[in-house]
Amino acid sequence: MMGLTIVLLFLAAAVVFAMVTGVRIVPQAKVMVVERLGKFHRVASSGLNILIPFMDSPRAMEMRAGNRFTRNTLVDLREQVMGFETVQVITHDNVNMEVGSVIYYQIVDPGRALYQVENLALAIEQLTMTNLRNVMGGLTLDQTLTSRETVNTKLRMVLDEATEKWGVKVTRVELREIEPPQAIKSAMAKQMTAERERRAEVTKAEGDKAAAILQAEGEKISRILRAEAERDAEIARAEGHKRAVMLEAEGKAEATRLTFEAIHTGRATPEVLALRYLETLQELGKGDNKMFVPYEATAALGSIATLKEVFAKDDAPAAAPQPQLPARAPSAAALSAQALARNAAASATLPATRRVQPPPSDE
């Protein structure tokens, strides 16, 4: 009886052990590599999986978590991130700098990831560092600082090609930080300051140039407008002067016409015309430093000769008759001279009037 109880207890313990070791639950997005008798058997997917005790066993994979490596029987199929410490690199122009990088990868074939490489995490880390040095060594300092996207693309292509046989897909590589030496930083700061000052000077010069151009254009337009205004003003003044002259001429013409009509309508005598002529000459002769010579000077001289003849007709013999000139219309000066002669003759006939001897004749 005692032996039967021990056998039953042993069978129960074996069943419990088999249930504990044979039944495995795999979480979502994770798988488990199962080996049978030390040989690859299958990949257990997420959910409930039954393993044969003492025959089937899961294979552990060494992965990196932070800065330490861990072994786990579950393989994560999600995209994983692996960051690396800064490493010393030398650029193409012999500048030492420290570069830190981050790699994003995903296990697409757990079997190859487990059996094609001994330590997947360590292999990816070393591969990333060596290729990072190679890529950075082919670029200059300025290219490494300004062409991060180019470096990321080149590094991703190299790592993806190398890890393809390990069942790993490199999705992204990023340069986390680039630390040049302190001397290079100081030089870069000075260069940046000089560049900004140069841009400021260029911007100021462009602004001054634009302002000068705008000012010149403004002055040009102002002068053009001023010239056009002066031209229009001159035209307006000329038009006004022309109109004034025309109106003045029209006024004089109208006044002359009215005077001519008044003279002909009133039938003015030659004496009146001569008197008006003398009054006009008197008005024109007003003022200092003026000498007025009538246009018909011969008629005035003729009037003086007539006066001479009037005063000398009693003493002098009768002169021979002069040849008759063709008759012409008497002018205003002649009419005035005749009037003066008639007045002088009338005064000569009055009594108690002393006669004035004319000057001796040249004859």
Side-chain angles (χ1 to χ4, degrees):
M1 241 359 235
M2 190 66 179
L4 181 60
T5 303
I6 295 173
V7 171
L8 291 175
L9 291 175
F10 181 76
L11 291 176
V15 171
V16 172
F17 178 77
M19 291 181 62
V20 172
T21 58
V23 177
R24 295 295 182 91
I25 298 176
V26 180
Q28 180 69 31
K30 292 185 178 182
V31 295
M32 184 174 57
V33 178
V34 179
E35 292 180 346
R36 179 169 289 180
L37 300 176
K39 184 180 180 180
F40 174 75
H41 175 60
R42 66 187 178 90
V43 177
S45 60
S46 59
L48 180 62
N49 294 273
I50 304 299
L51 303 180
I52 300 175
F54 306 106
M55 293 182 63
D56 296 340
S57 62
R59 176 70 180 267
M61 178 180 291
E62 189 171 4
M63 299 298 295
R64 179 173 176 174
N67 294 328
R68 60 189 180 87
F69 294 94
T70 60
R71 295 181 65 86
N72 196 346
T73 57
L74 296 177
V75 180
D76 198 340
L77 299 180
R78 294 174 298 178
E79 187 174 1
Q80 301 181 48
V81 181
M82 186 182 299
F84 306 106
E85 296 296 333
T86 57
V87 295
Q88 290 285 340
V89 297
I90 301 177
T91 61
H92 185 69
D93 49 357
N94 297 324
V95 177
N96 293 324
M97 63 174 55
E98 295 182 354
V99 180
S101 60
V102 178
I103 182 173
Y104 297 81
Y105 68 96
Q106 182 179 10
I107 298 176
V108 295
D109 191 343
R112 288 193 296 173
L114 187 60
Y115 295 106
Q116 292 293 329
V117 62
E118 179 182 1
N119 190 328
L120 179 61
L122 182 59
I124 292 176
E125 180 181 0
Q126 296 300 321
L127 183 64
T128 302
M129 290 183 180
T130 55
N131 284 280
L132 180 60
R133 290 190 178 96
N134 293 334
V135 173
M136 298 295 287
L139 301 175
T140 61
L141 176 62
D142 293 337
Q143 290 175 345
T144 57
L145 297 176
T146 59
S147 304
R148 286 197 175 192
E149 187 65 29
T150 303
V151 176
N152 296 337
T153 303
K154 289 183 179 181
L155 193 57
R156 185 189 63 80
M157 293 176 61
V158 172
L159 294 177
D160 189 27
E161 183 180 358
T163 58
E164 183 179 1
K165 63 179 180 179
W166 299 341
V168 176
K169 175 67 175 178
V170 178
T171 58
R172 188 182 307 170
V173 177
E174 297 290 343
L175 295 181
R176 186 180 59 205
E177 57 184 349
I178 299 177
E179 290 293 333
Q182 188 61 35
I184 299 297
K185 288 183 179 180
S186 301
M188 292 172 60
K190 293 180 181 179
Q191 181 181 4
M192 180 180 63
T193 304
E195 180 66 20
R196 289 183 177 178
E197 291 178 354
R198 184 188 66 83
R199 291 180 181 179
E201 292 294 333
V202 170
T203 303
K204 183 178 180 299
E206 291 179 353
D208 295 341
K209 175 183 176 182
I213 292 175
L214 292 177
Q215 185 177 1
E217 291 180 353
E219 293 180 356
K220 175 183 176 182
I221 295 175
S222 176
R223 291 181 179 180
I224 292 175
L225 294 178
R226 191 181 299 112
E228 292 179 354
E230 292 177 357
R231 182 196 62 188
D232 295 340
E234 290 294 334
I235 293 175
R237 283 194 293 269
E239 291 289 339
H241 181 69
K242 174 184 176 183
R243 184 64 179 171
V245 171
M246 291 177 63
L247 292 176
E248 183 179 1
E250 291 177 357
K252 290 182 179 180
E254 183 67 19
T256 303
R257 184 183 62 82
L258 293 177
T259 303
F260 183 78
E261 289 180 356
I263 291 174
H264 284 273
T265 302
R267 298 183 181 276
T269 60
E271 290 80 2
V272 174
L273 296 177
L275 182 61
R276 291 294 299 168
Y277 179 77
L278 293 177
E279 291 177 355
T280 303
L281 292 179
Q282 184 179 0
E283 291 294 330
L284 293 175
K286 289 181 178 181
D288 299 334
N289 298 327
K290 288 185 178 181
M291 181 179 65
F292 182 79
V293 178
Y295 176 72
E296 296 182 356
T298 56
L301 294 176
S303 63
I304 294 174
T306 303
L307 290 175
K308 179 181 178 181
E309 292 177 358
V310 170
F311 286 106
K313 65 181 179 177
D314 293 336
D315 299 333
Q322 299 291 333
Q324 297 292 328
L325 297 176
R328 64 176 181 178
S331 62
L335 293 177
S336 61
Q338 293 178 5
L340 291 175
R342 283 195 297 270
N343 292 333
S347 61
T349 56
L350 293 177
T353 301
R354 189 179 61 182
R355 295 185 177 181
V356 179
Q357 294 295 329
S361 176
D362 293 337
E363 297 177 359

